[in-house]
Amino acid sequence: MRELKASFYDGKTSQKTDVTIHLSRTGELWIRRPSGDLTYALSAVRITPRVGNTPRSIYLPDGAKCETLDNDAIDAFLKQRGAHAWQSLLHKLESRLLYVALAVVITIASVWGLIQYGVPALAKHAAYSLPPSVDQKLGAEGLDAMDRIWFSPSELSEARQHELRSVFQSITDNLDDGHHYRLEFRKSSRLGANAFALPSGIVVMTDALAQLAESNNELIAVLAHEVGHVVNRHALRRLLQDSATVLLVATITGDIASITALSAALPTILIEAKYSRDFEREADQYALAYLHSQDINRSHFANILLRLQKNRPENSGVFDYLSSHPATKERIKALEHAG
Amino acid sequence: MVVTAKALDTSAQAHGDISSVTTIPFKFTGKAGEYFKIWIVNIVLTILTLGIYSAWAKVRRKRYFYGNTQLQGSPFEYLAEPMQILKGRLIAFGIFVVYFISSELLPPLAAIFGLAFIVGLPWLVIRAHAFNARYSSYRNIRFGFKGGYGQALAVYIGLPILSVITLGLAYPAYTYYRSRFLVTHSGYGTTPFSFSATAGGFYGVYIKAMLIFLAGGVLFGALFWAFGVSTPSPGEPSLAGSAALVFFLALAWLMLLLMVRAYVETAIANLVWNNAESNGNRFESTLAVPHMIWLYFSNAVAIVVSLGLLIPWAQIRMTRYRFENLKLAAAGNLDSFVANEEEKVASAGEEIADFFDFDIGL
């Protein structure tokens, strides 16, 4: 026979009554209150699961409840009766230092694993199982919008445009991946020397880039890099990875958006920037493989990257982590070590 | 005159007998170390079950915070069952996925979603509050929330639109009507809450916030100007130096925003609590702005530096401060509140609201 102190509330008014509860070996609860005793079988009452050292509630069949801080007595009673095994398991997990340490390790390892491998692999798998028509839709209005904001018509000569288009065509000719590849020329004072790919397969090159290059081989490297983005479905994968990242970060910090809005935004930005750099590296690899297949020296790629960097000084230090592209130094090093 | 006598009589009843008012402090007994264990197990099981456990995690977290919040020796209790939460979460997750994909791939469909969202939002807000109140209890008496769709539509859709049209001039009115809507439709058992704050009080808070922002902005501008002018540029400009400068200025700017936000949240919380009343029982909220700024700032730093491991500590600390500064000025004893009849509320509303992350405040 165990005895514990509790508060009794009838569920009809907020009146609080101090009571004692006797827990019998045969599994009965005997509630002694000033206005008369109550007896219930364990099977007739509902005992809330233990959470830390918060008070436990024992709900009686008629809607009344008892509240007690004597968690240990309740636990011992339930254990003896063989009840609520699953609920007490949770409290065990939450109270043993070893399990908690294990949980910390598993959490850190799985969050890291998810970010590093899980999310990218899942996104890749999902993207490749979607038809290329999805890419068309992703980039459908892209160029029109950019024409309004950034671009004016190209001032490159027809002959030069024609020459570069045929170079571009030789890169994409053998690709049969459902994308409609096309090279476009634009002038933009704001973007300077630049090239980028839309998910549909349209690659845009600025006049400044065409003028910056010292040979067509350099432009082939840049164009192959951009085609690499399209072939590898980077736009769709980025969309999928970024949504997964938001979900992941929200799962971990979501409880308290108000306190940690700032601290939740930071990891999201860092992870998304990391993914962006990974895509750039993958596109670099694609360009390298193409150059190799055409017997073009990879130094052309390194040269144009260096000249692009000189043209547009990069930030140093802290900001690498926030950058969408890997540092040029690192990219060139990767080029030298490749193959 | 009979009428006057009667009016006097009701007002005396409403405010209770002055001499019998007792001040009862709220007590929060949560401990960071204890909560850390619950929190980390919640996360690990959520990951290992691919998110399914998050419903159980939420219930355990809320039970921990409610159970550790006491008023006159009795704790609060969170009553929702994990399965209810899980059902709501699955619905919310489905909507979120469909919305996310459709808004990227089919913009017209996203517009339809947006419209459905506007129509559904007031309903969601009501459901969310009703669910949360219904499954919160104190001394075995449940809280309740009964808001009407029309009013919710005016408050949550009409006033935000008006705020945009008036370039923010109506925004304090929006926050005022939102607080009033939430407080006046809430109840403890059969006892409703009333709200005596005025729109003027809310405008006062925002005007003061504006002044703080302007003063801070001037200071920030002076700082910017001083650094911009005094940076010497012999030879080539140091990139590392300018990066550090940008970083420093960005940090100063964030601090200013954080201070203004902490001021608004603190002042509004005090204003709302101090003007809420239930059957002559009032609240006294005495949150101090500098301390709240310190808590926000130090919590953010601690969380970032610890890679998130100090989140439980930050939460407990914030909650403890909030309750240390909340008291109930009780007109009589707390034994005579009467329960409301049973009423079921589905949890989908709350979970969807949770997912889209509306700021409900209070």
Side-chain angles (χ1 to χ4, degrees), chain A residues 155-167 185 216:
Chain A
E155 287 164 9
L156 290 180
S157 71
E158 269 312 309
R160 180 73 173 139
Q161 290 196 13
H162 184 77
E163 185 191 351
L164 289 172
R165 281 212 172 92
S166 66
V167 162
F185 301 96
N216 276 359

Side-chain angles (χ1 to χ4, degrees), chain B:
Chain B
M1 265 176 89
V2 182
V3 178
T4 322
K6 204 175 175 188
L8 276 175
D9 189 39
T10 23
S11 92
Q13 220 173 16
H15 291 283
D17 189 351
I18 306 291
S19 62
S20 75
V21 170
T22 45
T23 308
I24 309 165
F26 282 79
K27 238 169 79 183
F28 182 70
T29 53
K31 291 178 192 71
E34 189 180 46
Y35 178 58
F36 174 82
K37 297 176 193 169
I38 293 169
W39 176 81
I40 194 81
V41 170
N42 275 346
I43 287 179
V44 85
L45 291 181
T46 298
I47 291 171
L48 293 179
T49 59
L50 303 175
I52 307 283
Y53 187 79
S54 68
W56 278 259
K58 177 176 177 172
V59 169
R60 290 187 83 72
R61 169 171 56 85
K62 292 206 100 170
R63 288 192 71 88
Y64 186 80
F65 279 88
Y66 277 50
N68 276 307
T69 306
Q70 291 180 10
L71 184 63
Q72 208 169 46
S74 296
F76 288 77
E77 188 178 2
Y78 184 67
L79 304 165
E81 291 289 332
M83 285 310 280
Q84 294 173 298
I85 309 254
L86 183 64
K87 219 166 63 186
R89 281 210 166 162
L90 289 176
I91 295 170
F93 183 70
I95 293 175
F96 180 77
V97 167
V98 171
Y99 171 75
F100 205 92
I101 292 174
S102 69
S103 66
E104 293 289 343
L105 299 182
L106 280 174
L109 200 68
I112 296 173
F113 254 105
L115 201 69
F117 187 70
I118 289 175
V119 175
L121 180 77
W123 176 83
L124 273 181
V125 171
I126 294 169
R127 276 322 185 88
H129 283 97
F131 181 82
N132 218 2
R134 188 77 204 137
Y135 290 100
S136 302
S137 82
Y138 173 70
R139 295 188 161 197
N140 207 10
I141 304 283
R142 292 171 182 235
F143 290 82
F145 180 82
K146 273 188 183 152
Y149 181 84
Q151 264 193 51
L153 186 72
V155 171
Y156 285 94
I157 304 296
L159 284 168
I161 292 174
L162 192 68
S163 299
V164 173
I165 294 171
T166 58
L167 300 174
L169 279 181
Y171 185 78
Y174 159 63
T175 57
Y176 163 68
Y177 282 106
R178 188 179 58 184
S179 298
R180 201 178 76 164
F181 175 74
L182 293 179
V183 173
T184 54
H185 292 91
S186 295
Y188 173 56
T190 52
T191 316
F193 284 86
S194 64
F195 192 52
S196 57
T198 59
F202 278 68
Y203 271 95
V205 170
Y206 282 96
I207 287 169
K208 226 172 140 186
M210 201 67 166
L211 292 177
I212 295 173
F213 182 72
L214 287 178
V218 167
L219 205 71
F220 180 80
L223 212 66
F224 194 86
W225 183 79
F227 274 105
V229 170
S230 67
T231 307
S233 49
E236 60 182 57
S238 146
L239 275 175
S242 71
L245 181 64
V246 169
F247 188 73
F248 175 72
L249 286 174
L251 208 66
W253 180 248
L254 276 177
M255 271 300 289
L256 176 62
L257 293 183
L258 187 131
M259 279 164 71
V260 173
R261 194 183 142 179
Y263 168 73
V264 170
E265 280 190 13
T266 310
I268 295 285
N270 283 341
L271 191 63
V272 171
W273 279 115
N274 290 331
N275 287 286
E277 187 202 313
S278 181
N279 201 24
N281 301 293
R282 304 191 142 270
F283 296 93
E284 283 170 19
S285 176
T286 51
L287 297 171
V289 176
H291 197 85
M292 287 292 277
I293 291 174
W294 161 244
L295 282 177
Y296 273 104
F297 177 74
S298 51
N299 278 349
V301 170
I303 289 169
V304 169
V305 167
S306 67
L307 301 173
L309 287 176
L310 285 178
I311 286 174
W313 174 79
Q315 267 182 291
I316 293 281
R317 204 168 157 238
M318 186 58 102
T319 311
R320 190 189 303 125
Y321 181 71
R322 283 179 180 279
F323 282 114
E324 268 171 6
N325 285 282
L326 189 61
K327 290 178 186 69
L328 180 75
N333 63 33
L334 297 182
D335 290 346
S336 51
F337 290 91
V338 178
N340 211 339
E341 74 286 355
E342 291 285 315
E343 185 190 301
K344 255 187 139 170
V345 184
S347 84
E350 190 202 16
E351 288 311 308
I352 296 167
D354 228 29
F355 223 84
F356 286 105
D357 192 31
F358 323 148
D359 198 21
I360 281 159
L362 241 187

Side-chain angles (χ1 to χ4, degrees), chain A residues 8-12 31 33 38 40 44-46 58-66, chain B residues 140 342:
Chain A
F8 177 88
Y9 309 95
D10 65 7
K12 296 181 182 75
I31 301 162
R33 16 164 235 174
L38 299 164
Y40 295 101
V45 304
R46 188 171 62 81
I58 302 165
Y59 280 95
L60 309 176
D62 62 349
K65 85 162 180 179
C66 293
Chain B
N140 207 10
E342 291 285 315

Side-chain angles (χ1 to χ4, degrees), chain A residues 31-336:
Chain A
I31 301 162
R32 303 188 61 176
R33 16 164 235 174
S35 56
D37 294 359
L38 299 164
T39 313
Y40 295 101
L42 173 59
S43 58
V45 304
R46 188 171 62 81
I47 302 180
T48 56
R50 179 169 185 173
V51 181
N53 276 318
T54 57
R56 272 310 235 301
S57 291
I58 302 165
Y59 280 95
L60 309 176
D62 62 349
K65 85 162 180 179
C66 293
E67 225 163 49
T68 177
L69 269 168
D70 201 342
N71 274 303
D72 293 336
I74 297 276
D75 282 345
F77 178 61
L78 291 175
K79 193 178 173 192
Q80 182 217 326
R81 304 303 307 167
H84 297 222
W86 142 255
Q87 287 173 2
S88 63
L89 177 73
L90 278 180
H91 176 67
K92 241 176 242 167
L93 285 177
E94 289 165 353
S95 50
R96 305 265 161 92
L97 212 57
L98 175 69
Y99 296 140
V100 169
L102 207 63
V104 173
V105 172
I106 294 175
T107 300
I108 291 173
S110 47
V111 168
W112 178 79
L114 273 174
I115 290 167
Q116 186 74 24
Y117 304 107
V119 170
L122 279 173
K124 196 170 175 178
H125 191 78
Y128 282 123
S129 60
L130 288 168
S133 59
V134 174
D135 290 349
Q136 305 287 346
K137 281 179 184 139
L138 269 183
E141 285 148 19
L143 192 55
D144 287 346
M146 285 188 278
D147 274 341
R148 279 194 300 271
I149 303 167
W150 286 323
F151 295 137
S152 50
S154 170
E155 287 164 9
L156 290 180
S157 71
E158 269 312 309
R160 180 73 173 139
Q161 290 196 13
H162 184 77
E163 185 191 351
L164 289 172
R165 281 212 172 92
S166 66
V167 162
F168 182 73
Q169 210 174 344
S170 62
I171 300 174
T172 58
D173 248 359
N174 296 325
L175 292 172
D176 185 23
D177 60 351
H179 292 107
H180 305 291
Y181 291 98
R182 200 172 83 217
L183 180 60
E184 292 279 339
F185 301 96
R186 294 287 190 278
K187 184 177 154 62
S188 169
S189 49
R190 263 195 261 176
L191 293 181
N194 218 324
F196 51 88
L198 297 174
S200 56
I202 297 172
V203 173
V204 180
M205 178 191 277
T206 63
D207 290 4
L209 177 64
Q211 285 147 7
L212 186 75
E214 284 174 2
S215 73
N216 276 359
N217 281 343
E218 292 184 358
L219 289 177
I220 289 173
V222 173
L223 290 175
H225 170 96
E226 297 306 330
V227 170
H229 280 311
V230 182
V231 171
N232 290 314
R233 316 283 299 264
H234 285 168
L236 184 57
R237 283 162 64 191
R238 176 184 316 220
L239 169 66
L240 293 169
Q241 288 183 193
D242 288 356
S243 354
T245 305
V246 170
L247 272 180
L248 188 69
V249 173
T251 306
I252 295 169
T253 60
D255 294 358
I256 36 159
S258 61
I259 301 182
T260 50
L262 181 72
S263 12
L266 189 64
T268 313
I269 294 168
L270 290 177
I271 293 168
E272 287 177 358
K274 172 203 147 42
Y275 286 152
S276 173
R277 292 194 301 271
D278 288 347
F279 288 140
E280 295 303 327
R281 290 191 193 99
E282 206 175 291
D284 280 357
Q285 290 306 313
Y286 184 87
L288 265 187
Y290 181 77
L291 294 180
H292 185 72
S293 74
Q294 301 299 308
D295 278 332
I296 298 171
N297 195 318
R298 64 167 85 97
S299 63
H300 292 296
F301 196 10
N303 290 343
I304 186 92
L305 283 179
L306 272 176
R307 218 167 306 123
L308 277 168
Q309 186 200 18
K310 251 183 237 158
N311 234 30
R312 177 179 50 210
E314 268 179 66
N315 285 318
S316 58
V318 211
F319 293 98
D320 280 359
Y321 295 100
L322 292 168
S323 173
S324 63
H325 283 61
T328 305
K329 248 189 272 170
E330 183 206 321
R331 288 174 78 180
I332 289 169
K333 210 189 245 170
L335 291 178
E336 283 162 357

